[in-house]
């Protein structure tokens, strides 16, 4: 919706600029007015003020004024209406994003943080990025930007055979109905990062649920499960960091608890020390 409004605004502004330039040039040519008088006349005409101190006297100038009124006034009104629509839409979008971020918080409280602890414990390269993930209350936007850059360079390489797959399966299946409730919210699609994460975690749950046992699986099947696990793990880390940045900026008290229970901190504890 916001993108559509942006496009509409750009169109109105472009047409308005053309009308103003053409109107000024026309008034200078047909009415022999100065640049300032021509610009003044076009602006007060488009704005429907019409003081009457300057007016066209030639037939060409009158026709030009009619064109300015028909095109310019319509664009001016459309521009004003679009600007108001955009302000309203931005406010509503901010409210929706706030609600979505609450859902993200619930997801991490119930599912995401536990998965991160499980996956990070079996990530052979986690020590390479652990320092970048130890978020503190002194972090700035630059610190979060550096952390994201480190994450983008970090490849997740968990081997599914090192995980307790039956336990992971039981955990995800027990929370499958919980995750399904997120898909019932039509606004979830507006969260560009969280939706792929939900899909990846839910797909992993489906893959594990489809297997009765995990002993002596073919190497190709273990590799397939590793791919699903690493996809979910990679998205989890990025969205967790995005959520931490949101909490740091808007909800310091929630950020305090999330920071103290950081799944990448070996000494994490909810106890305030």
């Amino acid at each position: 919706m916001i993108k559509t409004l942006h496009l509409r605004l750009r169109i109105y502004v472009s047409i308005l600029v053309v009308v103003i330039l053409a109107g000024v040039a026309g008034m200078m040519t047909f009415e022999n007015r100065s640049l300032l008088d021509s610009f003044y006349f076009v602006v007060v005409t488009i704005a429907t003020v019409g003081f009457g101190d300057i007016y066209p006297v030639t037939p060409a100038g009158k026709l030009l004024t009619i064109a300015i009124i028909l095109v310019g006034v319509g664009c001016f009104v459309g521009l004003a209406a679009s600007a108001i629509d955009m302000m309203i839409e931005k406010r509503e979008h901010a409210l929706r994003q706030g609600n979505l971020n609450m859902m993200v918080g619930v997801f991490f409280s119930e599912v995401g943080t536990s998965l991160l602890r499980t996956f990070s414990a079996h990530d052979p390269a986690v020590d390479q990025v652990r320092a970048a993930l130890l978020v503190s209350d002194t972090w700035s936007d630059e610190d979060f930007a550096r952390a994201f850059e480190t994450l983008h360079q970090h490849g997740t390489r968990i081997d599914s055979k090192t995980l307790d797959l039956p336990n992971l399966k039981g955990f995800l299946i027990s929370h499958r109905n919980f995750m399904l409730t997120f898909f019932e919210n039509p606004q979830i699609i507006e969260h560009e990062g969280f939706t792929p994460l939900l899909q990846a975690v839910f797909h992993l749950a489906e893959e594990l649920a489809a297997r009765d046992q995990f002993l002596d699986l073919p190497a190709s099947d273990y590799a397939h499960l590793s791919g699903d696990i690493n996809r979910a793990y990679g998205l989890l880390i990025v969205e967790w960091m995005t959520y931490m940045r949101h909490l740091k900026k808007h909800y310091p008290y929630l950020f305090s608890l999330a920071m103290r229970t950081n799944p990448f901190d070996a000494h994490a504890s909810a106890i305030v020390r």
Side-chain angles (χ1 to χ4, degrees):
M1 181 64 177
I2 291 180
K3 290 182 180 179
T4 303
L5 288 172
H6 271 296
L7 176 61
R8 204 163 76 193
L9 273 175
R10 285 198 296 269
I11 292 173
Y12 281 135
V13 169
S14 299
I15 296 175
L16 206 56
V17 169
V18 171
V19 170
I20 291 173
L21 292 176
V24 170
M27 287 297 293
M28 293 175 67
T29 303
F30 303 137
E31 297 292 323
N32 197 29
R33 296 285 184 176
S34 67
L35 176 63
L36 180 59
D37 283 348
S38 297
F39 180 70
Y40 167 77
F41 171 77
V42 172
V43 170
V44 297
T45 301
I46 289 175
T48 68
V49 177
F51 291 117
D53 51 342
I54 298 178
Y55 53 87
V57 294
T58 66
K62 292 176 180 178
L63 290 173
L64 176 65
T65 302
I66 292 172
I68 292 173
I69 293 172
L70 292 176
V71 179
V73 173
C75 284
F76 179 76
V77 172
L79 180 63
S82 295
I84 293 172
D85 286 345
M86 177 167 288
M87 288 189 291
I88 294 173
E89 177 60 26
K90 280 187 174 180
R91 181 178 179 182
E92 292 178 349
H93 180 73
L95 291 173
R96 290 196 300 271
Q97 286 298 311
N99 292 335
L100 288 174
N101 281 315
M102 287 179 61
M103 296 173 62
V104 172
V106 173
F107 170 81
F108 275 105
S109 294
E110 296 295 321
V111 177
T113 302
S114 295
L115 286 178
L116 280 174
R117 287 196 184 97
T118 299
F119 292 155
S120 62
H122 296 82
D123 181 358
V126 71
D127 288 336
Q128 299 173 12
V129 295
R130 193 185 299 278
L133 300 173
L134 297 181
V135 184
S136 75
D137 54 3
T138 61
W139 272 34
S140 64
D141 288 339
E142 290 73 21
D143 293 313
F144 279 104
R146 284 192 291 270
F148 280 115
E149 182 62 29
T150 301
L151 290 177
H152 286 309
Q153 297 174 1
H154 173 63
T156 54
R157 297 183 295 275
I158 297 176
D159 185 349
S160 61
K161 289 185 287 186
T162 66
L163 286 166
D164 185 347
L165 294 178
N167 186 58
L168 178 61
K169 171 184 174 180
F171 175 79
L172 289 175
I173 289 178
S174 67
H175 290 83
R176 186 160 51 180
N177 289 337
F178 167 78
M179 290 188 287
L180 276 173
T181 60
F182 287 90
F183 290 107
E184 295 172 359
N185 189 328
Q187 294 181 354
I188 199 68
I189 196 171
E190 292 189 33
H191 203 301
E192 297 179 357
F194 186 54
T195 302
L197 167 59
L198 269 179
Q199 292 170 332
V201 174
F202 194 79
H203 174 72
L204 175 59
E206 293 292 285
E207 285 280 1
L208 295 174
R211 290 162 175 78
D212 295 326
Q213 57 86 30
F214 298 95
L215 296 175
D216 301 324
L217 292 175
S220 57
D221 201 42
Y222 280 122
H224 180 82
L225 290 174
S226 296
D228 291 333
I229 289 168
N230 283 296
R231 181 188 305 111
Y233 179 40
L235 292 170
L236 273 166
I237 300 177
V238 172
E239 284 309 302
W240 175 80
M241 185 62 72
T242 301
Y243 180 61
M244 292 293 286
R245 182 176 60 185
H246 168 74
L247 293 183
K248 173 70 168 58
K249 186 175 296 185
H250 300 287
Y251 301 100
Y253 61 98
L254 292 176
F255 174 74
S256 175
L257 177 60
M259 180 180 63
R260 283 180 275 118
T261 56
N262 188 326
F264 297 96
D265 186 354
H267 307 289
S269 171
I271 305 300
V272 178
R273 300 185 187 280

